[in-house]
Amino acid sequence: MKLFNSWEMGQDQTKQQIEKGLHLYQSNQTEKALRVWMRVLEKSADPAGRFRVLGCLITAHAEMGRYKDMLKFAVIQIDTARELEDPDYLTESYLNLARSNEKLCEFQKTISYCKTCLNMQGTTVSLQLNGQVSLSMGNAFLGLSIFQKALECFEKALRYAHNNDDKMLECRVCCSLGNFYAQIKDYEKALFFPCKAAELVNDYGKGWSLKYRAMSQYHMAVAYRKLGRLADAMDCCEESMKIALQHGDRPLQALCLLCFADIHRSRKDVQTAIPRYDSSMSIMTEIGNRLGLIQVLLGVTKCWMIQKELDKALESIEKAQELAEGLGNKLGLLKLHCLCERIYRTKGQQRELRDHVVKFHECVEEMELYCGMCGESIGEKNNQLQALPCSHFFHLK
């Protein structure tokens, strides 16, 4: 009986300490919260409590951009889930492992762990996680520029969100769809989806984390910038950055700095753009966002091209190319070949020019970025697109 009571105490203390950590975390006292949770992890003999506290540590480290620590805790959580012998716990831990790899731009691993989640025969709790699994998988396919599969996953995630009335998930999927359409240059839809996300935050997000508002504002800023509405882009980006700074959200700070730099570059203000690219690059390097680094280097390259510093532009391209090849990011490679084509045309170097023209078309074919109706390439300029139920898309015109 005595043993049973001490076991119960262990469970109750674990629960109380986790709640204490959550209260501190929600009050922006992140480091104190982490200390409380780490103490629970060390002292608690309750596996279910340990599992929950690992979930808290994973989320906190994700939001701070400490992705390697996030991955470390995800691996420990899988061991704890196995100890609990419960398929729901195991599914959740594999989802966290997938998300950790997604943040570290290990996209093939992300897809593999997501498939493991979907193949597990859990209960209804596991089924409710399938929407988040589909979203993570879609983000990974987008990172690899496999657009049709990315769209399939996002649409599946959206169906799960609607079926389960999960407004938070719907908000996150809308942000990813905004990113998707920005990449293939349907800027109307690139704006529509984050606007929808912002509506969801306004209508349902009273008790949500402010990160949802910040993310929707950031994606709206990207779309407004692409549409040439630079004042609107600046307003949205400033609001997003304000929240990111308040909450110590390093990944979002890096994205906002990149967006600010892009806005200044669009205004041909290279002197203001370059320091912001540098600041963004510094955070992206620190947190390990290699996909973001490619975007930064593309922006820096365009700045050097505006200033006719073509050799410096080629240096930036070389760094970005190494990253894009390492990640398997085909769209990044396509954009780099396009920039090289322009540089070598200006320099009058015909052999290099031809080489990059060939590689550019190889990338287009590999990504299947052709309209099924008119045969023209998709993603070359702003064009409204329509997706078929099979997730192939074509020009709306």
Side-chain angles (χ1 to χ4, degrees), residues 225 257-267 273 277 295 299:
R225 207 267 312 169
L257 283 163
L258 167 59
C259 189
F260 283 135
D262 284 339
I263 292 166
H264 290 299
R265 176 174 56 78
S266 296
R267 290 173 171 161
Y277 282 127
Q295 298 308 312

Side-chain angles (χ1 to χ4, degrees), residues 105-108 143-145 290-291 293-295 297-298 316-337 340 355-356 359-360 362-363 366:
C105 303
E106 296 287 355
F107 299 126
Q108 295 290 2
L144 295 168
S145 311
R290 290 172 289 161
L291 196 58
L293 276 173
I294 295 168
Q295 298 308 312
L297 287 163
L298 279 164
S316 294
I317 285 173
E318 198 178 327
K319 289 176 193 167
Q321 196 166 345
E322 196 178 320
L323 284 167
E325 282 170 356
L327 294 182
N329 180 243
K330 300 181 198 76
L331 186 67
L333 287 169
L334 178 138
K335 288 178 177 179
L336 291 163
H337 291 311
C340 283
D355 185 37
H356 285 285
K359 284 177 179 170
F360 173 85
E362 281 172 1
C363 284
E366 208 175 328

Side-chain angles (χ1 to χ4, degrees), residues 170-203:
E170 187 179 347
C171 181
R172 287 168 59 203
V173 177
C174 283
C175 286
S176 283
L177 280 165
N179 183 22
F180 174 89
Y181 281 108
Q183 289 196 28
I184 59 171
K185 296 193 179 179
D186 182 342
Y187 299 146
E188 305 298 325
K189 286 193 182 68
L191 180 60
F192 169 81
F193 282 106
C195 283
K196 174 71 178 164
E199 269 177 40
L200 289 165
V201 173
N202 288 335
D203 294 345

Side-chain angles (χ1 to χ4, degrees), residues 385-397:
L385 303 171
Q386 184 66 44
L388 293 167
C390 58
S391 297
H392 282 98
F393 29 83
F394 57 91
H395 291 121
L396 189 62
K397 67 181 180 186

